[in-house]
Amino acid sequence: MLTLVVGGTLRSGSSDRAGRFAFSCSPGSRGLLRSGAWLERITARRAELDELEEQLAQQLAEVRAERDELAVAKRVLERMAGQLAEERASAGPMPGQVAGRAVMLIPHREPGVEEGSLPWDYQRIITAVRQAAGTVMAREVGEVVGVDVGVRAKLEPLRSKLVRLVDRGWLRKLPDGRFTTRL
């Protein structure tokens, strides 16, 4: 008996999922090898494998191209994030527009952001709270910074500024409505 195994799996003239191919024939059937049936099977399988190789090569090229694009996108995003961080660190308060008039935006308290980046009236408010012997009410801050505390319409904008400083992390508001510095 003559046996030929291609790919390591022994099968009788058939192909399995892994693409292995085997031939087996007895001494009396050697004429089959000359008939060309086996050569046709080999040629067909070879064509299948060539087609599969082309598909895999194309997929590999697409994967490599996408991976290269992602690497470029990552570098661009990292560079932009660095530039934004530098701009935020160096930028002072920026004026904004509310109801058609310019207002100053209050930055959040972060490492590297100093009190000097706040508008001068907010700096005076923080100084007044810091100089107090303890916690202070909005009325007491108003007296220090020169607001007419007897008029409610003049005290409320000051209270709003104090709350804005609390929201941005510059001051702390206690449950009883008093203010203190965060430090």
Side-chain angles (χ1 to χ4, degrees), residues 1-6 9-15 20-26 28-47:
M1 173 167 234
L2 173 66
T3 303
L4 172 65
V5 178
V6 178
T9 301
L10 182 62
R11 301 247 176 184
S12 177
S14 64
S15 172
R20 295 177 181 95
F21 209 79
F23 303 98
S24 176
C25 60
S26 61
S29 62
R30 289 180 198 249
L32 286 174
L33 289 176
R34 287 188 218 122
S35 70
W38 293 108
L39 292 175
E40 289 175 14
R41 287 184 182 174
I42 291 172
T43 304
R45 181 64 182 155
R46 179 67 187 242

Side-chain angles (χ1 to χ4, degrees), residues 19 30 58 79 120 142 168:
R30 289 180 198 249
Q58 182 180 2
R79 193 174 307 140
W120 67 271
R168 302 301 198 291

Side-chain angles (χ1 to χ4, degrees), residues 8 10 18 25 43 50 58 67 71 84 127 140 142 151 153 157 174 177 183:
L10 182 62
C25 60
T43 304
D50 288 344
Q58 182 180 2
R67 188 183 60 201
L84 286 174
T127 302
E140 298 169 63
V151 179
L174 301 176
L183 303 176

Side-chain angles (χ1 to χ4, degrees), residues 82-94 107 110-114 116-117:
Q83 289 173 351
L84 286 174
E86 288 175 10
E87 288 176 9
R88 284 185 189 149
S90 66
M94 299 176 58
E110 297 174 346
V113 179
E114 302 293 327
S117 64

